[in-house]
Amino acid sequence: MGDPAGATARLFSYGTLQREPVQLRQFGRVLAGEPDVLPGHRQDWVTITDPDVVALSGTDRHPIVRHTGDPADTAKGTVLTVTAEELAAADVYEVDDYRRCLVELGSGPAWVYLATTD
């Protein structure tokens, strides 16, 4: 990210990054968040094969969000405030099915992990 020390970013989570065990392992703390929505996207499901991610999340079935461009489609989730280090830790957690993108939520810009393929 290249941000100055102490800078934060907004990260939209609609899945396992909202779970306390995942947050404690990846970020070393539990994050507070606010409900938000991502317009023009829909939630789907993906099967995770990384055994470490499955063990930490407790499931191999994870939600995944895909861009549709249809304003009637919305993905619900939580916007979290994270440090640059925590955002990097989230990058490590997410598998190759996801890519981090900057999007416009109902409340403003945030990072989100979207499907690598639509």
Side-chain angles (χ1 to χ4, degrees):
M1 257 172 63
D3 290 333
T8 60
R10 289 166 30 101
L11 176 62
F12 181 68
S13 174
Y14 52 83
T16 60
L17 284 175
Q18 296 178 77
R19 294 183 179 179
E20 187 172 312
V22 174
Q23 290 182 1
L24 287 171
R25 171 83 177 275
Q26 293 308 119
F27 309 132
R29 67 185 180 113
V30 176
L31 304 175
E34 294 293 325
D36 215 326
V37 295
L38 176 58
H41 293 74
R42 66 174 165 75
Q43 183 179 305
D44 200 355
W45 296 94
V46 65
T47 300
I48 302 297
T49 58
D50 183 306
D52 293 332
V53 173
V54 172
L56 181 56
S57 69
T59 182
D60 68 348
R61 184 173 151 88
H62 286 211
I64 195 163
V65 166
R66 301 178 190 284
H67 179 262
T68 66
D70 183 345
D73 290 337
T74 57
K76 295 179 182 178
T78 302
V79 67
L80 308 166
T81 300
V82 296
T83 65
E85 293 79 17
E86 290 167 339
L87 191 58
D91 287 344
V92 170
Y93 172 76
E94 295 296 350
V95 297
D96 290 342
D97 295 300
Y98 300 86
R99 71 186 189 288
R100 181 163 46 99
C101 301
L102 191 59
V103 295
E104 190 68 27
L105 300 177
S107 67
W111 292 105
V112 67
Y113 293 95
L114 297 177
T116 54
T117 59
D118 288 328

